Amino acid sequence: EKVALEVAAGASIAGARALASMKHVGLNVAADPLFTFSYTGVNGGLVILNADDPGAWSSQNEQDNRHIARASKIPMIEPSSPQEAKDFTMLAFELSEQFDRPVIVRITTRIAHSQGIVEMGERKNVPLREFVRNPQKYVMIPAHARPRHKFIEEQFVKLKEYSNKSGINRIEWGNKKRGIITDSVAYQYVKETCPDDSVLKIGMVWPMPDDIIREFAAAVGELYVVEELDPFIEDYVKALGIKAVGKEIIPLLNELTPEIVNQALN
């Protein structure tokens, strides 16, 4: 995985779009170049497809790699269906080039093994970008790393604005007595078991959309967070000073199912 990511990053620097795919524990192996490529940024779009494994069906742990996005300062988007898996991957390349950042697309076991009708759209050939020699951007000695850190913090502010305004995070209004914030495949379970409730679907899980979260929370009577594994969204919401119910009733371990979500919420 480390070598695969380095090869993909090399292709990106040379001007091609490139994608490296791996499981959550594979991204541990690739963490060394990942954190450095966060500083260098890209030339051609660079996307990392990361598959987490709630339930540890084929892995040695159940780690939640949303934390990796936060730690590495890399934007992360999360599809909740086969259609979104395609659309969000295309979007990830565009975001990568627009903001000069690698982008992580996080899926989980159930998304990886799901099937659905997908509208393909027209194939778009993207030409190679010109390679411009730039050691200050691509060679991360300390003298170059410090200004690049400033750059990615500035880009983070722009990405947060995008997260709030782009529509990738969206509110689906229903009965405002109860509002549910959710992401990934958990969104499908919430829609199936709580069809009348208001839902905030998180498509970009890092950076999180503060403005939309506050708007949603202010408009509903009770606020719940439904997510697999760690209370990543829940902790963020509570850090904003917003009262929410999450892991008090939603299991911390294993995959969620519609039955588990239904029992917890209904």
Side-chain angles (χ1 to χ4, degrees), residues 12 41 44 61-63 65 71 78 96 139 142 191 203 217 221 237:
S12 167
N61 67 26
E62 284 190 285
Q63 77 187 48
N65 272 6
E78 287 195 288
S96 178
V139 182
K191 294 296 286 185
V237 169

Side-chain angles (χ1 to χ4, degrees), residues 7 14 27 29 37 63 75 108 121 132 158 191 201-203 214 246:
V7 170
L27 201 54
V29 178
F37 294 142
Q63 77 187 48
T108 60
V132 178
K158 297 175 184 178
K191 294 296 286 185
K201 180 187 183 296
I202 301 293
R214 289 192 176 98

